[in-house]
Amino acid sequence: MSGGAQDQAIRTGRVTRTFIYVVLIFFALFYLLPFFIMLINSIKPLPEITGGNMMALPTDPTIEPWKSAWSTAQIGVEATGLKPYFMNSILMVVPAVAISTILGALNGYILTKWRFRGDNLIFGLLLFSCFIPFQIVLIPMAMVLGKIGLAGSLTGLILVHVVYGIGFGTLYFRNYYAAFPTELVRAAMMDGAGFFRIFWRIMLPVSGPIAVVCIIWQFTNIWNDFLFGVSFGGLDAQPVTVALNNLVQSSTGVREYNVHFAAAILAALPTLLVYIVAGRYFVRGLMAGSVKG
Amino acid sequence: MPFLDIDNVTKSYGNVEVLHRVDIGVEEGEFLVLVGPSGCGKSTLLNMIAGLENITGGTISIKDRVVNDVHPSKRNIAMVFQSYALYPNMTVGQNITFGMEMHGIPKPEREQKLAEVAKLLQIEQLLARKPGQLSGGQRQRVAMGRALVRDPDVFLFDEPLSNLDAKLRVDMRTEIKKLHQRLKSTIVYVTHDQIEALTLSTRIAVMNKGYVQQLGTPKEVYDTPANMFVASFMGSPSMNLLPATLREANGGLAAELTGAEGQQIMLNLSQNGPNLRSYLGKPVILGIRPEAITDADGVDRNAKNTQALRNMVHVTEPAGSDTFVETSLSGKACIARMRADVDVHAGQPFDFVVNMDKAVVFDPETEDRIVD
């Protein structure tokens, strides 16, 4: 599907090409600079940061800040490190991503292959959830969670993220399945397969690329979410983003910048990993169906 | 009651009726072709038989069982789709046996039927491949295999050859015909290709604008088209439809036409019934197939009523096996189909011979053929 893209790229002269690469490399370095600073400072002992140049390479590298960030740093009132909150995040993000992706796929399947009167209207309404700012729903959502007894729990957070994720999931899968030949569904129907069997045996096996896109998108959004986490996480279900904030904001004692840097990288690591592992499918999936043939 | 009975079937989308009271009975073992231009309702009718579209009015029954409200999978039918609709994630073997699996047929039996069908269609070496690795013709075979293996009461084909290139299409056409002769299965086949319709079918339903224009054997449809639409749709090049006036001549009836240079031409008709007689002195449309207009040597030996006609040749088109010659009659282009090596030149007059046994006459108002 993406094979022809490079062949069709416009041929450019050597000078233009050099210029393009110089610009691209400059911006790549510019973009990577903050990460570089975080990395080198996370392995310096604290005096090296406070007393010296932030840009300098570490003279006496140590992994103590990382250990501290993970298991002993003071977060809020307890010295637990990021570890329990990291676990919270994983326990929240895995089911939330799984459920919202599956629901998105089901919605896409229904909206394209089991059309009904008003389906486009429903799709349009679902799309609204992609564009409603988080802040608007905070209070109504808090009330709902309180009413159903899920306030301050991981389950409540999962529910919130699933509800928010359905919109994007549906958007992705609907557009992907719209290009999927309806004759296949009809053939399966005549072969005697029912609604779920067609979904499971015919649609899902070819949904790889778009599922990857959806998973990366949902994972990144849910993992990085701070607002819902801080509003609905209570004390027991705080995700790692909230913990990171509490770590950096805690006003007692010395500010351990090296620990902060290490913690920030730790908190960002899973999304980075997901993108590295599945990233090549991401672009492929986003492009899928946009070009015929 | 016919094996497959389409009884007074209509289809509407909202207030728009797209199929009007279609009445077709298909006997067991028949090969019915639904043919017509795009938008004539042929695919809609097929989908209604398949159960993929609702039936607005009338009934469809298979083997004396009304299937209007029966789910597609319970009608005991199988369908070959235009795009083949092979499941891309399954191997050829899995594609063919998927239906049996869904119907809960045990694995040994599935394997056995798969082997039979694969042998019949000569796709044994392809069973482990995915559809993406097959050529168009191979996909076509697999799609047919998927239908065959079900052993259905009725096979439905939705333009199965239209995605193949010209040569392969002819080969597969022959193969489908052989398969039908061998299996004696009941088939409903949709196509817009009139040659496919003529070569494959035992009966043809020519459709246009949601009406069945004519239902009959290929010979009936070709030789005695019910109206001008059928006459021009079936056959390539299509039938010459020439404005004429009906006259009395030599104790019979004749069509009066004008030649390319304004000369009067009288063609005696074989037909002399009272119905046609009532058109005396009135305009009619004379229909003559291109192959009924030849030179003196190319005349059908069994023809009883042949007539000579001298007229100007406008264009000659040698097509290998035949030469098409264009002249004009009554101001209309008129195509003649001749032997390949006929001595005919553009811009010169030529002595045509018309086989009037094959001529038909239409009413210019209703466009229906005048019978008797």
Side-chain angles (χ1 to χ4, degrees):
Chain A
M1 239 168 228
S2 60
Q6 270 140 351
D7 308 332
Q8 286 159 20
I10 301 158
R11 289 177 160 273
T12 46
R14 193 174 286 264
V15 179
T16 328
R17 193 156 281 248
T18 315
F19 174 74
I20 289 171
Y21 276 110
V22 168
V23 171
L24 286 177
I25 289 167
F26 171 76
F27 278 108
L29 290 176
F30 186 75
Y31 187 77
L32 284 172
L33 196 62
F35 184 70
F36 172 73
I37 291 173
M38 281 170 72
L39 202 62
I40 54 168
N41 286 299
S42 72
I43 51 173
K44 285 179 192 168
L46 194 56
E48 239 182 87
I49 302 176
T50 48
N53 182 357
M54 233 192 172
M55 299 289 282
L57 289 173
T59 49
D60 185 16
T62 164
I63 57 160
E64 276 315 311
W66 286 74
K67 282 189 184 161
S68 164
W70 181 245
S71 52
T72 60
Q74 184 84 19
I75 293 177
V77 287
E78 285 177 81
T80 56
L82 282 183
K83 198 164 93 180
Y85 305 96
F86 199 88
M87 288 304 150
N88 276 350
S89 270
I90 286 178
L91 289 176
M92 168 189 77
V93 87
V94 171
V97 167
I99 296 171
S100 64
T101 304
I102 287 172
L103 286 179
L106 261 176
N107 280 348
Y109 168 55
I110 293 167
L111 287 170
T112 53
K113 304 304 171 204
W114 299 80
R115 311 275 313 259
F116 51 92
R117 202 178 282 269
D119 52 358
N120 275 329
L121 182 72
I122 291 195
F123 178 54
L125 291 175
L126 274 172
L127 282 193
F128 261 121
S129 71
C130 301
F131 305 110
I132 293 178
F134 282 16
Q135 292 82 345
I136 290 181
V137 299
L138 280 182
I139 291 170
M141 188 64 89
M143 288 172 71
V144 169
L145 288 179
K147 283 242 164 66
I148 58 178
L150 290 177
S153 71
L154 266 181
T155 321
L157 265 183
I158 292 169
L159 178 71
V160 173
H161 285 300
V162 165
V163 168
Y164 241 97
I166 284 176
F168 268 109
T170 305
L171 172 69
Y172 286 136
F173 279 96
R174 195 207 87 109
N175 290 350
Y176 188 76
Y177 288 154
F180 186 88
T182 304
E183 280 196 343
L184 277 174
V185 176
R186 294 182 150 195
M189 218 196 290
M190 298 193 73
D191 269 342
F195 177 86
F196 281 108
R197 285 242 236 172
I198 294 174
F199 181 60
W200 188 250
R201 296 284 302 269
I202 311 292
M203 307 294 285
L204 269 192
V206 295
S207 309
I210 203 67
V212 168
V213 169
C214 191
I215 287 169
I216 291 182
W217 179 267
Q218 305 283 27
F219 188 95
T220 313
N221 274 345
I222 298 174
W223 184 275
N224 287 341
D225 165 69
F226 175 76
L227 188 62
F228 285 158
V230 79
S231 312
F232 306 131
L235 287 174
D236 307 323
Q238 284 177 352
V240 72
T241 44
V242 177
L244 179 65
N245 176 66
N246 291 348
L247 167 74
V248 176
Q249 299 291 329
S250 53
S251 46
T252 52
V254 205
R255 281 188 168 261
E256 296 178 301
Y257 292 111
N258 50 358
V259 176
H260 296 174
F261 282 131
I265 296 175
L266 274 174
L269 222 45
T271 52
L272 209 61
L273 259 176
V274 165
Y275 190 82
I276 289 168
V277 171
R280 63 199 179 98
Y281 297 101
F282 187 68
V283 178
R284 207 184 289 173
L286 281 180
M287 298 300 292
S290 60
V291 181
K292 207 184 159 197
Chain B
M1 205 173 182
F3 190 73
L4 163 65
D5 192 25
I6 302 165
D7 186 19
N8 251 321
V9 162
T10 55
K11 173 76 184 174
S12 313
Y13 294 108
N15 291 327
V16 189
E17 196 170 89
V18 294
L19 273 182
H20 318 275
R21 294 184 159 269
V22 175
D23 234 333
I24 302 174
V26 185
E27 295 303 333
E28 188 162 11
E30 247 195 307
F31 197 131
L32 175 78
V33 172
L34 306 173
V35 68
S38 44
C40 72
K42 55 190 192 298
S43 288
T44 308
L45 182 58
L46 193 78
N47 284 338
M48 285 159 81
I49 302 173
L52 301 171
E53 300 245 21
N54 293 325
I55 299 164
T56 313
T59 56
I60 293 179
S61 32
I62 300 170
K63 271 187 163 175
D64 297 330
R65 176 175 69 133
V66 176
V67 294
N68 282 33
D69 298 317
V70 179
H71 189 266
S73 64
K74 305 254 157 56
R75 296 186 181 198
N76 202 18
I77 47 176
M79 188 154 169
V80 177
F81 292 88
Q82 182 173 4
S83 65
Y84 318 134
L86 301 178
Y87 312 126
N89 55 310
M90 301 184 200
T91 66
V92 167
Q94 289 166 337
N95 259 285
I96 294 176
T97 54
F98 184 72
M100 289 193 286
E101 192 192 329
M102 290 299 114
H103 282 88
I105 292 167
K107 194 157 188 197
E109 198 177 326
R110 297 204 304 251
E111 300 280 326
Q112 188 204 332
K113 294 209 89 177
L114 172 64
E116 279 171 30
V117 167
K119 188 153 182 269
L120 180 69
L121 293 168
Q122 298 166 338
I123 49 172
E124 289 139 305
Q125 72 286 1
L126 305 177
L127 294 182
R129 292 206 207 157
K130 293 272 176 76
Q133 299 165 300
L134 304 180
S135 70
Q138 289 169 333
R139 283 181 209 185
Q140 176 66 61
R141 275 168 207 269
V142 176
M144 291 206 301
R146 195 168 62 181
L148 281 173
V149 82
R150 300 265 312 277
D151 208 4
D153 291 332
V154 182
F155 285 95
L156 306 175
F157 285 83
D158 188 6
E159 309 217 13
L161 303 182
S162 55
N163 281 354
L164 301 177
D165 61 59
K167 186 178 175 326
L168 203 54
R169 196 179 307 164
V170 176
D171 293 347
M172 288 305 294
R173 200 169 72 197
T174 317
E175 225 161 297
I176 292 178
K177 180 136 194 176
K178 278 188 195 153
L179 214 56
H180 175 246
Q181 284 171 352
R182 202 155 134 198
L183 301 173
K184 305 263 182 290
S185 32
T186 312
I187 296 176
V188 180
Y189 186 108
V190 162
T191 181
H192 61 265
D193 182 345
Q194 47 90 21
I195 303 216
E196 249 171 54
L198 290 168
T199 48
L200 285 172
S201 66
T202 57
R203 269 200 308 161
I204 299 177
V206 185
M207 299 182 66
N208 191 32
K209 295 180 179 161
Y211 289 96
V212 174
Q213 304 283 337
Q214 187 170 9
L215 177 65
T217 64
K219 190 169 166 53
E220 282 166 8
V221 168
Y222 191 76
D223 286 345
T224 53
N227 53 41
M228 283 165 66
F229 172 79
V230 177
S232 56
F233 190 78
M234 302 303 288
S236 171
S238 64
M239 184 183 262
N240 297 301
L241 296 170
L242 310 165
T245 313
L246 197 67
R247 303 281 182 212
E248 180 110 46
N250 312 329
L253 296 173
E256 182 192 317
L257 302 111
T258 342
E261 272 125 3
Q263 79 273 31
Q264 187 206 49
I265 293 170
M266 291 291 265
L267 291 174
N268 293 326
L269 294 162
S270 308
Q271 202 179 332
N272 190 7
N275 247 340
L276 186 56
R277 232 161 219 294
S278 66
Y279 284 84
L280 256 178
K282 291 187 195 159
V284 290
I285 301 286
L286 179 68
I288 308 173
R289 291 275 175 206
E291 62 272 19
I293 309 173
T294 54
D295 64 331
D297 295 337
V299 179
D300 181 356
R301 218 175 300 163
N302 300 319
K304 295 190 196 86
N305 177 9
T306 61
Q307 283 167 55
L309 183 163
R310 191 171 175 78
N311 207 8
M312 184 64 80
V313 172
H314 294 323
V315 182
T316 67
E317 293 173 344
S321 57
D322 305 291
T323 299
F324 294 104
V325 179
E326 190 189 307
T327 176
S328 74
L329 282 171
S330 300
K332 289 257 184 167
C334 173
I335 310 283
R337 181 190 212 137
M338 306 215 183
R339 293 173 294 124
D341 47 2
V342 69
D343 187 28
V344 56
H345 303 283
Q348 291 176 12
F350 184 78
D351 288 309
F352 293 91
V353 176
V354 184
N355 178 1
M356 289 301 286
D357 288 355
K358 298 281 188 185
V360 285
V361 187
F362 298 97
D363 182 322
E365 297 288 316
T366 63
E367 303 205 338
D368 287 337
R369 185 167 63 87
I370 303 167
V371 187
D372 291 330

